[in-house]
Amino acid sequence: MNWTREKLIEAYIDFFKKKRHKEIPNVSLIPREDPTVLFTTAGMHPLILFLLGQKHPLGKRLVNNQKCIRTTDIEEVGDENHLTFFEMLGNWSLGDYWKKEAIEFSFEFLTKILKIPKQKLTITCFKGDFKNHIPKDTESAKIWQKLGIKKSQIRFLGKEENWWGPAGKTGPCGPDTEMFFQGSEIWNDVFMQYNKDKQGRYKELSQKNVDTGMGVERTLAVLQGKKSVYETL
Ligand code: SER
């Protein structure tokens, strides 16, 4: 398959529609629903109320492709895999499926649809934050291993690497498991089960959510055999 941006996006959306996800549209780069950020930095911003427990009109399984602006990586922008503006594919579970299904979906899409050999993937999982009583994520690592990822392909990392959010000072967040191809992170599955409050405390959310983010340009670089996201077609 000669992968293009359009084909990758279509394959992703179709794959998750077959897994009973409903597609939601791309929203403005100026977030309307989330006052904690100046720009839409991820697909989660339009979903913030639903991650916090409000019922989404389209149900508990959603899929989208969201255009994002990120300035936190500004020092790295211009290297082989950082951009200020990019597109991110995401599948969402709003209190529906959890780690097993999320990781199985990721694995199936990467190896069966994109046909990336499983031995070429490297996986990271959260090593735990004992100060805040957040455990090591051995559950995710075991799921990966069951799917055929070797122990030697999995690393446990800390909050700097394997924790996502909140995007602003407060809001939904949680540990994640990340998928790498030759050192470039192409996808993460975030297990949003906490809400960080103004005092910096992590409270369990009323529902456990999955928020994933696949970088379109980075994945395209892998599929097109390019060294840099800036070379993708
Ligand atoms: N999965 C998202 C990201 O990587 C978090 O919303 O940014």
Side-chain angles (χ1 to χ4, degrees), residues 90-196:
N91 55 286
W92 305 83
S93 161
L94 302 171
D96 188 28
Y97 58 82
W98 189 230
K99 294 183 181 178
K100 184 173 180 288
E101 292 89 334
I103 293 173
E104 284 173 356
F105 289 157
S106 293
F107 183 80
E108 187 182 341
F109 186 73
L110 289 172
T111 60
K112 303 265 157 52
I113 308 293
L114 302 187
K115 302 203 180 338
I116 296 176
K118 67 179 175 204
Q119 59 277 11
K120 294 218 168 157
L121 294 170
T122 308
I123 305 296
T124 60
C125 297
F126 186 53
K127 77 171 183 191
D129 170 7
F130 301 102
K131 210 177 89 201
N132 287 301
H133 310 288
I134 298 167
K136 180 175 176 180
D137 189 8
T138 44
E139 189 185 346
S140 292
K142 280 191 192 142
I143 298 166
W144 284 114
Q145 278 178 262
K146 260 203 172 148
L147 292 167
I149 298 288
K150 296 204 181 83
K151 221 175 172 176
S152 56
Q153 289 171 263
I154 305 174
R155 293 178 65 196
F156 283 93
L157 299 175
K159 246 183 160 173
E160 278 289 305
E161 287 89 9
N162 280 74
W163 182 272
W164 204 89
K169 285 207 166 60
T170 58
C173 54
D176 74 355
T177 180
E178 303 185 354
M179 293 146 260
F180 292 76
F181 183 91
Q182 288 172 353
S184 174
E185 181 198 341
I186 51 174
W187 199 354
N188 65 19
D189 292 356
V190 184
F191 303 115
M192 287 200 159
Q193 65 189 114
Y194 300 101
N195 190 23
K196 189 175 184 187

Side-chain angles (χ1 to χ4, degrees), residues 41-44 70 88 92 164 188 190 192 211-213:
T41 69
M44 63 156 308
R70 238 178 238 194
M88 189 159 58
W92 305 83
W164 204 89
N188 65 19
V190 184
M192 287 200 159
D211 153 355
T212 92

Side-chain angles (χ1 to χ4, degrees), residues 3 13 18 22 24 31 36 56 61 65 73 77 88 100 103 105 118 122 142 159 163 179 185 196 204 206 210 213 220:
W3 287 101
I13 304 279
K18 287 194 186 116
K22 294 270 174 356
I24 53 167
T36 68
H56 194 284
R61 292 182 178 210
N65 179 40
D73 295 336
V77 167
M88 189 159 58
K100 184 173 180 288
I103 293 173
F105 289 157
K118 67 179 175 204
T122 308
K142 280 191 192 142
K159 246 183 160 173
W163 182 272
M179 293 146 260
E185 181 198 341
K196 189 175 184 187
E204 288 268 353
S206 58
V210 175
L220 213 48

